[in-house]
């Protein structure tokens, strides 16, 4: 994928502005001696919203639209068949106008789940390959992966808060400014949560992808469908707008939106070649040779 610097600069500006606003808000709370426990409560509130309204937030941010049986009969038929095989209630189904072949699952539990696909993936994959991708997404729902990711994020936030409390208490002993020490401690805790914390959450996410691949292989009895799908959807170049519109669902997508090498630590997905190698091993496992 290539980088469009105009869009990248705008994203950095937006994220930077949000980052500054976050620090200003925390600074004001600390300056007025607001209890740190209230700050933690507010953080917990954001996590609550993220978990219980995840489906609505992701659908809204990606522009995916829920479709009925008559609007996408073939797609509904495949998912109904897979849900019957996997013992799952049928989720809502959504389609996103996006050229990038991708799919994602969201929702807080099996009864409130949504499986979404892009128009790009419907155009590129055949029925067997699409079945493998959809089985992968349904495996995320069956394994309650949305809860796992949200819980991991909560743990990282909690650890960050504890680090803040410990650092602010330690630094306040040798400082004349409680505001300055508290603010510095908060900055350090945020820095740690956005480096080590992100690495931890994304490591969990990568293992979650392997689990969904395995679930799809066994659910369909045909690992080759997902293998061929991964080969088709990987490596191609897509417009920055197609990629950026899926950013909010990057932990849930079938295809990674991030890099390789050292950057794999910050990726939500394993490299495609590693996933294919594991699926080929599972294929031998299923076939018994």
């Amino acid at each position: 994928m290539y980088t469009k610097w105009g869009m990248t600069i705008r994203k950095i500006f937006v994220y930077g502005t949000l980052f500054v606003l976050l620090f200003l808000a925390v600074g004001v709370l600390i300056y007025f001696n607001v209890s740190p426990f209230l700050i933690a409560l507010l953080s917990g509130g954001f996590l609550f919203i993220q978990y219980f309204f995840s489906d609505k937030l992701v659908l809204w941010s990606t522009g995916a639209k829920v479709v009925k049986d008559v609007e996408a009969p073939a797609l509904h038929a495949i998912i109904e068949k897979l849900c019957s095989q996997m013992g799952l209630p049928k989720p809502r189904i959504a389609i996103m106008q996006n050229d990038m072949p991708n799919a994602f699952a969201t929702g807080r539990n099996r009864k409130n789940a949504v499986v979404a696909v892009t128009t790009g993936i419907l155009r590129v994959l055949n029925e067997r390959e699409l079945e493998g991708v959809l089985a992968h997404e349904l495996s995320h729902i069956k394994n309650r992966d949305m809860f796992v990711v949200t819980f991991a994020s909560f743990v990282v936030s909690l650890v960050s808060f504890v680090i803040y409390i410990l650092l602010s208490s330690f630094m306040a002993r040798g400082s004349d400014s409680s505001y300055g020490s508290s603010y510095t401690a908060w900055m350090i805790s945020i820095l740690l949560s956005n480096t080590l914390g992100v690495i931890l959450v994304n490591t969990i996410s990568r293992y979650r992808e392997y689990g969904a691949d395995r679930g799809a292989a066994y659910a369909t009895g045909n690992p080759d469908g997902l293998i061929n799908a991964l080969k088709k959807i990987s490596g191609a170049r897509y417009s920055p707008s197609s990629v950026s519109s899926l950013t909010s669902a990057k932990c849930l997508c079938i295809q990674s939106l991030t890099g390789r090498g050292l950057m794999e630590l910050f990726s939500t997905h394993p490299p495609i070649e590693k996933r294919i190698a594991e699926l080929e091993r599972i294929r031998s496992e299923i076939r018994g040779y």
Side-chain angles (χ1 to χ4, degrees):
M1 297 177 185
Y2 62 93
T3 301
K4 186 175 180 179
W5 288 109
M7 179 171 288
T8 300
I9 291 171
R10 288 195 294 273
K11 286 173 66 177
I12 291 173
F13 176 78
V14 171
Y15 293 149
T17 301
L18 292 174
F19 197 71
V20 170
L21 289 174
L22 172 63
F23 276 115
L24 287 175
V26 172
V28 170
L29 290 172
I30 294 171
Y31 181 80
F32 286 99
N33 296 316
V34 176
S35 169
F37 294 100
L38 178 58
I39 299 175
L41 184 63
L42 291 173
S43 299
F46 283 119
L47 287 170
F48 175 87
I49 292 171
Q50 177 187 351
Y51 180 61
F52 282 93
F53 297 96
S54 58
D55 54 338
K56 295 179 177 61
L57 291 172
V58 172
L59 290 177
W60 173 77
S61 61
T62 60
K65 305 294 183 185
V66 174
V67 293
K68 298 179 180 179
D69 300 44
V70 292
E71 297 174 276
L75 186 59
H76 274 267
I78 295 173
I79 290 182
E80 284 176 1
K81 173 188 170 185
L82 289 170
C83 285
S84 177
Q85 293 172 341
M86 299 171 74
L88 290 171
K90 183 182 174 183
R92 285 175 292 158
I93 300 170
I95 295 178
M96 176 183 176
Q97 296 294 324
N98 190 305
D99 290 334
M100 184 180 188
N102 226 321
F104 62 85
T106 186
R108 66 181 184 272
N109 55 40
R110 298 178 182 184
K111 293 182 179 179
N112 295 277
V114 181
V115 171
V117 297
T118 64
T119 49
I121 206 168
L122 293 176
R123 184 172 60 253
V124 169
L125 302 187
N126 62 36
E127 184 176 340
R128 298 294 284 175
E129 293 161 352
L130 184 60
E131 182 181 60
V133 168
L134 294 173
H136 172 99
E137 298 307 331
L138 289 170
S139 292
H140 279 314
I141 296 170
K142 188 171 185 176
N143 297 336
R144 296 180 173 85
D145 285 334
M146 187 63 198
F147 172 78
V148 172
V149 170
T150 304
F151 181 74
S153 299
F154 172 75
V155 171
V156 169
S157 298
L158 182 62
V159 170
S160 175
F161 176 66
V162 170
I163 291 173
Y164 160 70
I165 294 295
L166 293 175
L167 283 176
S168 60
S169 177
F170 175 77
M171 296 173 69
R173 295 176 184 175
S175 175
D176 296 329
S177 172
S178 60
Y179 172 77
S181 59
S182 293
Y183 201 75
T184 302
W186 188 267
M187 289 182 68
I188 294 173
S189 67
I190 290 292
L191 179 62
L192 289 173
S193 68
N194 280 280
T195 52
L196 298 179
V198 168
I199 290 173
L200 173 62
V201 172
N202 286 349
T203 299
I204 293 171
S205 178
R206 289 194 295 276
Y207 281 112
R208 185 181 57 87
E209 288 302 313
Y210 283 125
D213 284 347
R214 183 179 184 83
Y218 271 92
T220 61
N222 177 35
D224 287 320
L226 184 54
I227 289 172
N228 293 335
L230 291 174
K231 287 179 179 178
K232 277 188 177 180
I233 67 180
S234 65
R237 291 173 175 258
Y238 302 98
S239 68
S241 59
S242 294
V243 177
S244 63
S245 60
L246 279 164
T247 300
S248 61
K250 65 181 179 180
C251 287
L252 314 167
C253 286
I254 183 72
Q255 181 181 179
S256 175
L257 306 179
T258 48
R260 300 184 180 188
L262 182 61
M263 291 307 295
E264 187 181 331
L265 289 172
F266 295 92
S267 176
T268 56
H269 292 58
I272 290 289
E273 56 269 21
K274 289 185 179 180
R275 292 174 66 183
I276 290 175
E278 180 61 17
L279 281 165
E280 288 173 342
R281 189 192 67 78
I282 294 170
R283 179 176 61 192
S284 299
E285 185 180 294
I286 291 174
R287 293 178 179 177
Y289 58 86

